[in-house]
Amino acid sequence: MRKTIVSKTKNVHKKVIENQDEIASDVDIKYKIYRCCLALNQKNAAADILQTIAARQRTPKIYMALGNIYKDVGMDRLAITCFKEVLRECPLAIEAMEILLKLGVNGVEVNSLVMEVSLEITWLGTWIKAQAQFLAKDYASAILTYKSLDTHGMLKDNTVLTVNMAYCYYYMCEDSKAISLLQKAVRIDPNLNWGLALLSTLLAASGNKEYQYELEKLTPNLETSLWTDEHWVVLGNLMLLLKKYERAAYFGQQACMMGKNVEALLLRANALFFLKKYQEAAVQCTNALQIAPFRYDLHKCLILCYLNSNRLREAESMALHACKVLNYTPQAYCLHASCLLKDPLATMKNTRRILEKVVEQDKQGHTDAVYMLADLLIREQQYDQATQILLKALDTQKPTSKLHQLLGECYANLQKDDEAFNNYTIAMRLDPQNQRATEGLNNIERRERFYSTTENSYSSRRANSDHEADAESDSELWNGSVDMANFDS
């Protein structure tokens, strides 16, 4: 249409009409065609139309779009070139910096592209360093760098910074700290979008009914047409916490239809797992791992699907892979140990060695290694060793119902009923729903009643026997006297 209008104008008036500026340029028209192709999921056509724009006519917007296309189709080198062009013209393009770091460009090199601006904006260089550490999976160092930015005069109470810190804690399996930071981000910005899905996932995974109100507050009050994938995930996780698994799976599917979202795939996987559709849940986990292979919860869900499907070899293979991908963290070792405990062919010696190694590494109790090792030792009737491990854990970790319950079982097997009773009581106080602690208390009471009844019965029989003995001796004496009298007579 534009070419037709310009052609007619030149032919009739021999000049371009005055309002020609209102007519879209070739570059703008091609950019709109690119967006149409994206909406139709025709990425190759989108790339082709952008490539027809001459290099001298490419604006930062065009380079940004072209870079995203190259990144999506796996042409990383061309994508890096495009994003560097964006930074040369727009040195404050934060998104371009983040993508370059994700594509493996060194933080120092990215900082050199924006050196002039970073000298004026004091926080920019530190922020690039923090992002580089985060993407290099050096989460402990990234947290320290983020905290140095979370000060007055820098980026105090910045929600992006807060959510990034929460993700660091989450990847380190410190869920309570991640939840605290994400709740802080929501308080700072009630309209927060990015980070809501992770917060809802953590709240639902905790299984704590107290978080139900928190999840209800996160649910959107917008029209459904305005919902993002994060809003669908929040609602789905609320259904998951309420054990409405069919609806949770549906809301997860709605979120997946809006694009690739790890939280949505995990939501669907969890819902299908609780519905005992393990094969379908495993497919969702596999798809999610292709996007985020470094997430522990995805590996855990997939391995549990395999174990519940009696696919022990696949579960063990996946656990070994998880150990490698997660850099042999205590959580990954626990996954491997859980597979070995299910395998009847696995040696208990090897399983015990792995669990002892995890207990030694995990001083704060972020894993279930102490519980698993104590259970294993109790099964092997090594109650003294299990008691020592549990007492040591109580000195370094926050007391839990399960710790005291296991300690009660050890004392009960060692015939120390008073210590067992005390630990079972503490376990019940911490978690009234702990069935094993309840059974332990009932066993102690039954044993005490049995001993009490036996002792009373024994005392009664003893008294009766003593009385019978006295009566017999009296009669003997009486009979003896009669006989003596007869003898005398």
mmCIF file with all atom_site columns, all heavy atoms in Angstrom, residues 284-307:
data_model
loop_
_atom_site.group_PDB
_atom_site.id
_atom_site.type_symbol
_atom_site.label_atom_id
_atom_site.label_alt_id
_atom_site.label_comp_id
_atom_site.label_asym_id
_atom_site.label_entity_id
_atom_site.label_seq_id
_atom_site.pdbx_PDB_ins_code
_atom_site.Cartn_x
_atom_site.Cartn_y
_atom_site.Cartn_z
_atom_site.occupancy
_atom_site.B_iso_or_equiv
_atom_site.pdbx_formal_charge
_atom_site.auth_seq_id
_atom_site.auth_comp_id
_atom_site.auth_asym_id
_atom_site.auth_atom_id
_atom_site.pdbx_PDB_model_num
ATOM 1   N N   . GLN A 1 284 ? 6.059  -34.011 31.515 1.00 0.00 ? 284 GLN A N   1
ATOM 2   C CA  . GLN A 1 284 ? 6.087  -32.582 31.859 1.00 0.00 ? 284 GLN A CA  1
ATOM 3   C C   . GLN A 1 284 ? 7.428  -32.200 32.489 1.00 0.00 ? 284 GLN A C   1
ATOM 4   O O   . GLN A 1 284 ? 8.001  -31.155 32.181 1.00 0.00 ? 284 GLN A O   1
ATOM 5   C CB  . GLN A 1 284 ? 4.945  -32.254 32.828 1.00 0.00 ? 284 GLN A CB  1
ATOM 6   C CG  . GLN A 1 284 ? 3.549  -32.526 32.289 1.00 0.00 ? 284 GLN A CG  1
ATOM 7   C CD  . GLN A 1 284 ? 3.217  -31.667 31.084 1.00 0.00 ? 284 GLN A CD  1
ATOM 8   O OE1 . GLN A 1 284 ? 3.538  -30.485 31.025 1.00 0.00 ? 284 GLN A OE1 1
ATOM 9   N NE2 . GLN A 1 284 ? 2.569  -32.276 30.094 1.00 0.00 ? 284 GLN A NE2 1
ATOM 10  N N   . CYS A 1 285 ? 7.934  -33.066 33.371 1.00 0.00 ? 285 CYS A N   1
ATOM 11  C CA  . CYS A 1 285 ? 9.227  -32.786 34.009 1.00 0.00 ? 285 CYS A CA  1
ATOM 12  C C   . CYS A 1 285 ? 10.356 -32.775 32.982 1.00 0.00 ? 285 CYS A C   1
ATOM 13  O O   . CYS A 1 285 ? 11.259 -31.921 33.048 1.00 0.00 ? 285 CYS A O   1
ATOM 14  C CB  . CYS A 1 285 ? 9.515  -33.839 35.080 1.00 0.00 ? 285 CYS A CB  1
ATOM 15  S SG  . CYS A 1 285 ? 8.486  -33.705 36.545 1.00 0.00 ? 285 CYS A SG  1
ATOM 16  N N   . THR A 1 286 ? 10.312 -33.711 32.059 1.00 0.00 ? 286 THR A N   1
ATOM 17  C CA  . THR A 1 286 ? 11.351 -33.772 31.019 1.00 0.00 ? 286 THR A CA  1
ATOM 18  C C   . THR A 1 286 ? 11.352 -32.503 30.178 1.00 0.00 ? 286 THR A C   1
ATOM 19  O O   . THR A 1 286 ? 12.427 -31.953 29.861 1.00 0.00 ? 286 THR A O   1
ATOM 20  C CB  . THR A 1 286 ? 11.121 -35.004 30.118 1.00 0.00 ? 286 THR A CB  1
ATOM 21  O OG1 . THR A 1 286 ? 11.096 -36.178 30.931 1.00 0.00 ? 286 THR A OG1 1
ATOM 22  C CG2 . THR A 1 286 ? 12.232 -35.134 29.099 1.00 0.00 ? 286 THR A CG2 1
ATOM 23  N N   . ASN A 1 287 ? 10.164 -32.020 29.821 1.00 0.00 ? 287 ASN A N   1
ATOM 24  C CA  . ASN A 1 287 ? 10.069 -30.767 29.052 1.00 0.00 ? 287 ASN A CA  1
ATOM 25  C C   . ASN A 1 287 ? 10.611 -29.588 29.845 1.00 0.00 ? 287 ASN A C   1
ATOM 26  O O   . ASN A 1 287 ? 11.281 -28.711 29.300 1.00 0.00 ? 287 ASN A O   1
ATOM 27  C CB  . ASN A 1 287 ? 8.615  -30.510 28.653 1.00 0.00 ? 287 ASN A CB  1
ATOM 28  C CG  . ASN A 1 287 ? 8.096  -31.518 27.648 1.00 0.00 ? 287 ASN A CG  1
ATOM 29  O OD1 . ASN A 1 287 ? 8.874  -32.140 26.919 1.00 0.00 ? 287 ASN A OD1 1
ATOM 30  N ND2 . ASN A 1 287 ? 6.792  -31.715 27.601 1.00 0.00 ? 287 ASN A ND2 1
ATOM 31  N N   . ALA A 1 288 ? 10.312 -29.565 31.129 1.00 0.00 ? 288 ALA A N   1
ATOM 32  C CA  . ALA A 1 288 ? 10.793 -28.462 31.965 1.00 0.00 ? 288 ALA A CA  1
ATOM 33  C C   . ALA A 1 288 ? 12.308 -28.505 32.124 1.00 0.00 ? 288 ALA A C   1
ATOM 34  O O   . ALA A 1 288 ? 12.973 -27.462 32.150 1.00 0.00 ? 288 ALA A O   1
ATOM 35  C CB  . ALA A 1 288 ? 10.111 -28.507 33.332 1.00 0.00 ? 288 ALA A CB  1
ATOM 36  N N   . LEU A 1 289 ? 12.872 -29.717 32.228 1.00 0.00 ? 289 LEU A N   1
ATOM 37  C CA  . LEU A 1 289 ? 14.321 -29.843 32.395 1.00 0.00 ? 289 LEU A CA  1
ATOM 38  C C   . LEU A 1 289 ? 15.087 -29.391 31.157 1.00 0.00 ? 289 LEU A C   1
ATOM 39  O O   . LEU A 1 289 ? 16.255 -29.006 31.258 1.00 0.00 ? 289 LEU A O   1
ATOM 40  C CB  . LEU A 1 289 ? 14.687 -31.290 32.730 1.00 0.00 ? 289 LEU A CB  1
ATOM 41  C CG  . LEU A 1 289 ? 14.442 -31.708 34.181 1.00 0.00 ? 289 LEU A CG  1
ATOM 42  C CD1 . LEU A 1 289 ? 14.591 -33.206 34.346 1.00 0.00 ? 289 LEU A CD1 1
ATOM 43  C CD2 . LEU A 1 289 ? 15.401 -30.974 35.111 1.00 0.00 ? 289 LEU A CD2 1
ATOM 44  N N   . GLN A 1 290 ? 14.443 -29.432 30.005 1.00 0.00 ? 290 GLN A N   1
ATOM 45  C CA  . GLN A 1 290 ? 15.091 -28.918 28.801 1.00 0.00 ? 290 GLN A CA  1
ATOM 46  C C   . GLN A 1 290 ? 15.270 -27.397 28.875 1.00 0.00 ? 290 GLN A C   1
ATOM 47  O O   . GLN A 1 290 ? 16.179 -26.839 28.270 1.00 0.00 ? 290 GLN A O   1
ATOM 48  C CB  . GLN A 1 290 ? 14.256 -29.293 27.583 1.00 0.00 ? 290 GLN A CB  1
ATOM 49  C CG  . GLN A 1 290 ? 14.260 -30.784 27.274 1.00 0.00 ? 290 GLN A CG  1
ATOM 50  C CD  . GLN A 1 290 ? 13.353 -31.152 26.122 1.00 0.00 ? 290 GLN A CD  1
ATOM 51  O OE1 . GLN A 1 290 ? 12.660 -30.300 25.566 1.00 0.00 ? 290 GLN A OE1 1
ATOM 52  N NE2 . GLN A 1 290 ? 13.341 -32.428 25.754 1.00 0.00 ? 290 GLN A NE2 1
ATOM 53  N N   . ILE A 1 291 ? 14.395 -26.740 29.635 1.00 0.00 ? 291 ILE A N   1
ATOM 54  C CA  . ILE A 1 291 ? 14.484 -25.282 29.797 1.00 0.00 ? 291 ILE A CA  1
ATOM 55  C C   . ILE A 1 291 ? 15.387 -24.927 30.965 1.00 0.00 ? 291 ILE A C   1
ATOM 56  O O   . ILE A 1 291 ? 16.217 -24.022 30.876 1.00 0.00 ? 291 ILE A O   1
ATOM 57  C CB  . ILE A 1 291 ? 13.080 -24.679 30.022 1.00 0.00 ? 291 ILE A CB  1
ATOM 58  C CG1 . ILE A 1 291 ? 12.137 -25.073 28.884 1.00 0.00 ? 291 ILE A CG1 1
ATOM 59  C CG2 . ILE A 1 291 ? 13.147 -23.158 30.148 1.00 0.00 ? 291 ILE A CG2 1
ATOM 60  C CD1 . ILE A 1 291 ? 10.690 -24.709 29.142 1.00 0.00 ? 291 ILE A CD1 1
ATOM 61  N N   . ALA A 1 292 ? 15.223 -25.649 32.090 1.00 0.00 ? 292 ALA A N   1
ATOM 62  C CA  . ALA A 1 292 ? 15.984 -25.329 33.307 1.00 0.00 ? 292 ALA A CA  1
ATOM 63  C C   . ALA A 1 292 ? 16.571 -26.616 33.893 1.00 0.00 ? 292 ALA A C   1
ATOM 64  O O   . ALA A 1 292 ? 16.021 -27.175 34.849 1.00 0.00 ? 292 ALA A O   1
ATOM 65  C CB  . ALA A 1 292 ? 15.079 -24.636 34.323 1.00 0.00 ? 292 ALA A CB  1
ATOM 66  N N   . PRO A 1 293 ? 17.660 -27.103 33.334 1.00 0.00 ? 293 PRO A N   1
ATOM 67  C CA  . PRO A 1 293 ? 18.226 -28.384 33.796 1.00 0.00 ? 293 PRO A CA  1
ATOM 68  C C   . PRO A 1 293 ? 18.862 -28.313 35.179 1.00 0.00 ? 293 PRO A C   1
ATOM 69  O O   . PRO A 1 293 ? 19.221 -29.350 35.733 1.00 0.00 ? 293 PRO A O   1
ATOM 70  C CB  . PRO A 1 293 ? 19.284 -28.696 32.730 1.00 0.00 ? 293 PRO A CB  1
ATOM 71  C CG  . PRO A 1 293 ? 19.658 -27.369 32.167 1.00 0.00 ? 293 PRO A CG  1
ATOM 72  C CD  . PRO A 1 293 ? 18.420 -26.527 32.220 1.00 0.00 ? 293 PRO A CD  1
ATOM 73  N N   . PHE A 1 294 ? 19.012 -27.118 35.733 1.00 0.00 ? 294 PHE A N   1
ATOM 74  C CA  . PHE A 1 294 ? 19.709 -26.951 37.005 1.00 0.00 ? 294 PHE A CA  1
ATOM 75  C C   . PHE A 1 294 ? 18.754 -26.849 38.191 1.00 0.00 ? 294 PHE A C   1
ATOM 76  O O   . PHE A 1 294 ? 19.174 -26.540 39.304 1.00 0.00 ? 294 PHE A O   1
ATOM 77  C CB  . PHE A 1 294 ? 20.569 -25.678 36.949 1.00 0.00 ? 294 PHE A CB  1
ATOM 78  C CG  . PHE A 1 294 ? 19.848 -24.490 36.379 1.00 0.00 ? 294 PHE A CG  1
ATOM 79  C CD1 . PHE A 1 294 ? 19.036 -23.703 37.160 1.00 0.00 ? 294 PHE A CD1 1
ATOM 80  C CD2 . PHE A 1 294 ? 19.972 -24.179 35.028 1.00 0.00 ? 294 PHE A CD2 1
ATOM 81  C CE1 . PHE A 1 294 ? 18.356 -22.628 36.627 1.00 0.00 ? 294 PHE A CE1 1
ATOM 82  C CE2 . PHE A 1 294 ? 19.299 -23.099 34.482 1.00 0.00 ? 294 PHE A CE2 1
ATOM 83  C CZ  . PHE A 1 294 ? 18.493 -22.325 35.287 1.00 0.00 ? 294 PHE A CZ  1
ATOM 84  N N   . ARG A 1 295 ? 17.456 -27.115 37.972 1.00 0.00 ? 295 ARG A N   1
ATOM 85  C CA  . ARG A 1 295 ? 16.490 -26.993 39.059 1.00 0.00 ? 295 ARG A CA  1
ATOM 86  C C   . ARG A 1 295 ? 16.290 -28.328 39.752 1.00 0.00 ? 295 ARG A C   1
ATOM 87  O O   . ARG A 1 295 ? 15.879 -29.320 39.144 1.00 0.00 ? 295 ARG A O   1
ATOM 88  C CB  . ARG A 1 295 ? 15.157 -26.443 38.547 1.00 0.00 ? 295 ARG A CB  1
ATOM 89  C CG  . ARG A 1 295 ? 15.232 -24.957 38.265 1.00 0.00 ? 295 ARG A CG  1
ATOM 90  C CD  . ARG A 1 295 ? 13.917 -24.351 37.920 1.00 0.00 ? 295 ARG A CD  1
ATOM 91  N NE  . ARG A 1 295 ? 12.870 -24.603 38.888 1.00 0.00 ? 295 ARG A NE  1
ATOM 92  C CZ  . ARG A 1 295 ? 11.797 -23.839 39.014 1.00 0.00 ? 295 ARG A CZ  1
ATOM 93  N NH1 . ARG A 1 295 ? 11.665 -22.772 38.242 1.00 0.00 ? 295 ARG A NH1 1
ATOM 94  N NH2 . ARG A 1 295 ? 10.875 -24.125 39.893 1.00 0.00 ? 295 ARG A NH2 1
ATOM 95  N N   . TYR A 1 296 ? 16.546 -28.326 41.053 1.00 0.00 ? 296 TYR A N   1
ATOM 96  C CA  . TYR A 1 296 ? 16.482 -29.549 41.854 1.00 0.00 ? 296 TYR A CA  1
ATOM 97  C C   . TYR A 1 296 ? 15.076 -30.123 41.893 1.00 0.00 ? 296 TYR A C   1
ATOM 98  O O   . TYR A 1 296 ? 14.897 -31.346 41.800 1.00 0.00 ? 296 TYR A O   1
ATOM 99  C CB  . TYR A 1 296 ? 16.974 -29.225 43.270 1.00 0.00 ? 296 TYR A CB  1
ATOM 100 C CG  . TYR A 1 296 ? 16.576 -30.240 44.303 1.00 0.00 ? 296 TYR A CG  1
ATOM 101 C CD1 . TYR A 1 296 ? 17.205 -31.483 44.373 1.00 0.00 ? 296 TYR A CD1 1
ATOM 102 C CD2 . TYR A 1 296 ? 15.565 -29.964 45.226 1.00 0.00 ? 296 TYR A CD2 1
ATOM 103 C CE1 . TYR A 1 296 ? 16.836 -32.414 45.320 1.00 0.00 ? 296 TYR A CE1 1
ATOM 104 C CE2 . TYR A 1 296 ? 15.192 -30.896 46.174 1.00 0.00 ? 296 TYR A CE2 1
ATOM 105 C CZ  . TYR A 1 296 ? 15.832 -32.113 46.225 1.00 0.00 ? 296 TYR A CZ  1
ATOM 106 O OH  . TYR A 1 296 ? 15.470 -33.036 47.164 1.00 0.00 ? 296 TYR A OH  1
ATOM 107 N N   . ASP A 1 297 ? 14.038 -29.260 42.039 1.00 0.00 ? 297 ASP A N   1
ATOM 108 C CA  . ASP A 1 297 ? 12.677 -29.770 42.198 1.00 0.00 ? 297 ASP A CA  1
ATOM 109 C C   . ASP A 1 297 ? 12.204 -30.529 40.958 1.00 0.00 ? 297 ASP A C   1
ATOM 110 O O   . ASP A 1 297 ? 11.409 -31.473 41.067 1.00 0.00 ? 297 ASP A O   1
ATOM 111 C CB  . ASP A 1 297 ? 11.695 -28.642 42.533 1.00 0.00 ? 297 ASP A CB  1
ATOM 112 C CG  . ASP A 1 297 ? 11.835 -27.443 41.622 1.00 0.00 ? 297 ASP A CG  1
ATOM 113 O OD1 . ASP A 1 297 ? 12.648 -27.497 40.678 1.00 0.00 ? 297 ASP A OD1 1
ATOM 114 O OD2 . ASP A 1 297 ? 11.147 -26.436 41.852 1.00 0.00 ? 297 ASP A OD2 1
ATOM 115 N N   . LEU A 1 298 ? 12.683 -30.156 39.792 1.00 0.00 ? 298 LEU A N   1
ATOM 116 C CA  . LEU A 1 298 ? 12.318 -30.876 38.571 1.00 0.00 ? 298 LEU A CA  1
ATOM 117 C C   . LEU A 1 298 ? 12.931 -32.275 38.563 1.00 0.00 ? 298 LEU A C   1
ATOM 118 O O   . LEU A 1 298 ? 12.269 -33.258 38.208 1.00 0.00 ? 298 LEU A O   1
ATOM 119 C CB  . LEU A 1 298 ? 12.767 -30.097 37.343 1.00 0.00 ? 298 LEU A CB  1
ATOM 120 C CG  . LEU A 1 298 ? 12.119 -28.719 37.142 1.00 0.00 ? 298 LEU A CG  1
ATOM 121 C CD1 . LEU A 1 298 ? 12.733 -28.018 35.934 1.00 0.00 ? 298 LEU A CD1 1
ATOM 122 C CD2 . LEU A 1 298 ? 10.619 -28.851 36.949 1.00 0.00 ? 298 LEU A CD2 1
ATOM 123 N N   . HIS A 1 299 ? 14.199 -32.365 38.942 1.00 0.00 ? 299 HIS A N   1
ATOM 124 C CA  . HIS A 1 299 ? 14.852 -33.676 39.026 1.00 0.00 ? 299 HIS A CA  1
ATOM 125 C C   . HIS A 1 299 ? 14.145 -34.554 40.057 1.00 0.00 ? 299 HIS A C   1
ATOM 126 O O   . HIS A 1 299 ? 13.910 -35.748 39.823 1.00 0.00 ? 299 HIS A O   1
ATOM 127 C CB  . HIS A 1 299 ? 16.325 -33.509 39.406 1.00 0.00 ? 299 HIS A CB  1
ATOM 128 C CG  . HIS A 1 299 ? 17.177 -32.924 38.331 1.00 0.00 ? 299 HIS A CG  1
ATOM 129 N ND1 . HIS A 1 299 ? 17.656 -33.666 37.271 1.00 0.00 ? 299 HIS A ND1 1
ATOM 130 C CD2 . HIS A 1 299 ? 17.641 -31.659 38.137 1.00 0.00 ? 299 HIS A CD2 1
ATOM 131 C CE1 . HIS A 1 299 ? 18.386 -32.892 36.478 1.00 0.00 ? 299 HIS A CE1 1
ATOM 132 N NE2 . HIS A 1 299 ? 18.388 -31.673 36.976 1.00 0.00 ? 299 HIS A NE2 1
ATOM 133 N N   . LYS A 1 300 ? 13.795 -33.961 41.184 1.00 0.00 ? 300 LYS A N   1
ATOM 134 C CA  . LYS A 1 300 ? 13.137 -34.727 42.248 1.00 0.00 ? 300 LYS A CA  1
ATOM 135 C C   . LYS A 1 300 ? 11.793 -35.276 41.780 1.00 0.00 ? 300 LYS A C   1
ATOM 136 O O   . LYS A 1 300 ? 11.479 -36.456 41.992 1.00 0.00 ? 300 LYS A O   1
ATOM 137 C CB  . LYS A 1 300 ? 12.932 -33.823 43.475 1.00 0.00 ? 300 LYS A CB  1
ATOM 138 C CG  . LYS A 1 300 ? 12.249 -34.518 44.633 1.00 0.00 ? 300 LYS A CG  1
ATOM 139 C CD  . LYS A 1 300 ? 12.064 -33.564 45.807 1.00 0.00 ? 300 LYS A CD  1
ATOM 140 C CE  . LYS A 1 300 ? 11.329 -34.252 46.946 1.00 0.00 ? 300 LYS A CE  1
ATOM 141 N NZ  . LYS A 1 300 ? 11.114 -33.324 48.091 1.00 0.00 ? 300 LYS A NZ  1
ATOM 142 N N   . CYS A 1 301 ? 11.005 -34.425 41.132 1.00 0.00 ? 301 CYS A N   1
ATOM 143 C CA  . CYS A 1 301 ? 9.681  -34.857 40.656 1.00 0.00 ? 301 CYS A CA  1
ATOM 144 C C   . CYS A 1 301 ? 9.810  -35.984 39.630 1.00 0.00 ? 301 CYS A C   1
ATOM 145 O O   . CYS A 1 301 ? 9.071  -36.974 39.682 1.00 0.00 ? 301 CYS A O   1
ATOM 146 C CB  . CYS A 1 301 ? 8.932  -33.665 40.060 1.00 0.00 ? 301 CYS A CB  1
ATOM 147 S SG  . CYS A 1 301 ? 7.237  -34.031 39.571 1.00 0.00 ? 301 CYS A SG  1
ATOM 148 N N   . LEU A 1 302 ? 10.769 -35.853 38.717 1.00 0.00 ? 302 LEU A N   1
ATOM 149 C CA  . LEU A 1 302 ? 10.957 -36.881 37.682 1.00 0.00 ? 302 LEU A CA  1
ATOM 150 C C   . LEU A 1 302 ? 11.385 -38.208 38.295 1.00 0.00 ? 302 LEU A C   1
ATOM 151 O O   . LEU A 1 302 ? 10.876 -39.275 37.931 1.00 0.00 ? 302 LEU A O   1
ATOM 152 C CB  . LEU A 1 302 ? 11.983 -36.397 36.664 1.00 0.00 ? 302 LEU A CB  1
ATOM 153 C CG  . LEU A 1 302 ? 12.275 -37.340 35.486 1.00 0.00 ? 302 LEU A CG  1
ATOM 154 C CD1 . LEU A 1 302 ? 11.000 -37.673 34.725 1.00 0.00 ? 302 LEU A CD1 1
ATOM 155 C CD2 . LEU A 1 302 ? 13.310 -36.724 34.551 1.00 0.00 ? 302 LEU A CD2 1
ATOM 156 N N   . ILE A 1 303 ? 12.299 -38.149 39.251 1.00 0.00 ? 303 ILE A N   1
ATOM 157 C CA  . ILE A 1 303 ? 12.781 -39.378 39.898 1.00 0.00 ? 303 ILE A CA  1
ATOM 158 C C   . ILE A 1 303 ? 11.663 -40.047 40.688 1.00 0.00 ? 303 ILE A C   1
ATOM 159 O O   . ILE A 1 303 ? 11.521 -41.277 40.679 1.00 0.00 ? 303 ILE A O   1
ATOM 160 C CB  . ILE A 1 303 ? 14.003 -39.064 40.786 1.00 0.00 ? 303 ILE A CB  1
ATOM 161 C CG1 . ILE A 1 303 ? 15.208 -38.724 39.898 1.00 0.00 ? 303 ILE A CG1 1
ATOM 162 C CG2 . ILE A 1 303 ? 14.333 -40.221 41.708 1.00 0.00 ? 303 ILE A CG2 1
ATOM 163 C CD1 . ILE A 1 303 ? 16.383 -38.149 40.636 1.00 0.00 ? 303 ILE A CD1 1
ATOM 164 N N   . LEU A 1 304 ? 10.834 -39.249 41.366 1.00 0.00 ? 304 LEU A N   1
ATOM 165 C CA  . LEU A 1 304 ? 9.702  -39.818 42.097 1.00 0.00 ? 304 LEU A CA  1
ATOM 166 C C   . LEU A 1 304 ? 8.707  -40.483 41.143 1.00 0.00 ? 304 LEU A C   1
ATOM 167 O O   . LEU A 1 304 ? 8.111  -41.517 41.480 1.00 0.00 ? 304 LEU A O   1
ATOM 168 C CB  . LEU A 1 304 ? 9.003  -38.730 42.910 1.00 0.00 ? 304 LEU A CB  1
ATOM 169 C CG  . LEU A 1 304 ? 9.750  -38.236 44.154 1.00 0.00 ? 304 LEU A CG  1
ATOM 170 C CD1 . LEU A 1 304 ? 8.998  -37.086 44.803 1.00 0.00 ? 304 LEU A CD1 1
ATOM 171 C CD2 . LEU A 1 304 ? 9.939  -39.371 45.163 1.00 0.00 ? 304 LEU A CD2 1
ATOM 172 N N   . CYS A 1 305 ? 8.524  -39.889 39.980 1.00 0.00 ? 305 CYS A N   1
ATOM 173 C CA  . CYS A 1 305 ? 7.647  -40.507 38.969 1.00 0.00 ? 305 CYS A CA  1
ATOM 174 C C   . CYS A 1 305 ? 8.186  -41.870 38.554 1.00 0.00 ? 305 CYS A C   1
ATOM 175 O O   . CYS A 1 305 ? 7.429  -42.847 38.450 1.00 0.00 ? 305 CYS A O   1
ATOM 176 C CB  . CYS A 1 305 ? 7.520  -39.600 37.746 1.00 0.00 ? 305 CYS A CB  1
ATOM 177 S SG  . CYS A 1 305 ? 6.549  -38.106 38.015 1.00 0.00 ? 305 CYS A SG  1
ATOM 178 N N   . TYR A 1 306 ? 9.494  -41.954 38.324 1.00 0.00 ? 306 TYR A N   1
ATOM 179 C CA  . TYR A 1 306 ? 10.102 -43.224 37.938 1.00 0.00 ? 306 TYR A CA  1
ATOM 180 C C   . TYR A 1 306 ? 9.993  -44.259 39.058 1.00 0.00 ? 306 TYR A C   1
ATOM 181 O O   . TYR A 1 306 ? 9.694  -45.435 38.814 1.00 0.00 ? 306 TYR A O   1
ATOM 182 C CB  . TYR A 1 306 ? 11.569 -43.024 37.564 1.00 0.00 ? 306 TYR A CB  1
ATOM 183 C CG  . TYR A 1 306 ? 11.796 -42.334 36.236 1.00 0.00 ? 306 TYR A CG  1
ATOM 184 C CD1 . TYR A 1 306 ? 12.933 -41.567 35.999 1.00 0.00 ? 306 TYR A CD1 1
ATOM 185 C CD2 . TYR A 1 306 ? 10.886 -42.459 35.198 1.00 0.00 ? 306 TYR A CD2 1
ATOM 186 C CE1 . TYR A 1 306 ? 13.147 -40.945 34.778 1.00 0.00 ? 306 TYR A CE1 1
ATOM 187 C CE2 . TYR A 1 306 ? 11.084 -41.834 33.980 1.00 0.00 ? 306 TYR A CE2 1
ATOM 188 C CZ  . TYR A 1 306 ? 12.211 -41.075 33.772 1.00 0.00 ? 306 TYR A CZ  1
ATOM 189 O OH  . TYR A 1 306 ? 12.417 -40.456 32.563 1.00 0.00 ? 306 TYR A OH  1
ATOM 190 N N   . LEU A 1 307 ? 10.244 -43.821 40.298 1.00 0.00 ? 307 LEU A N   1
ATOM 191 C CA  . LEU A 1 307 ? 10.189 -44.752 41.423 1.00 0.00 ? 307 LEU A CA  1
ATOM 192 C C   . LEU A 1 307 ? 8.777  -45.300 41.617 1.00 0.00 ? 307 LEU A C   1
ATOM 193 O O   . LEU A 1 307 ? 8.589  -46.492 41.885 1.00 0.00 ? 307 LEU A O   1
ATOM 194 C CB  . LEU A 1 307 ? 10.664 -44.060 42.705 1.00 0.00 ? 307 LEU A CB  1
ATOM 195 C CG  . LEU A 1 307 ? 12.165 -43.752 42.802 1.00 0.00 ? 307 LEU A CG  1
ATOM 196 C CD1 . LEU A 1 307 ? 12.470 -42.979 44.069 1.00 0.00 ? 307 LEU A CD1 1
ATOM 197 C CD2 . LEU A 1 307 ? 12.995 -45.030 42.751 1.00 0.00 ? 307 LEU A CD2 1
#
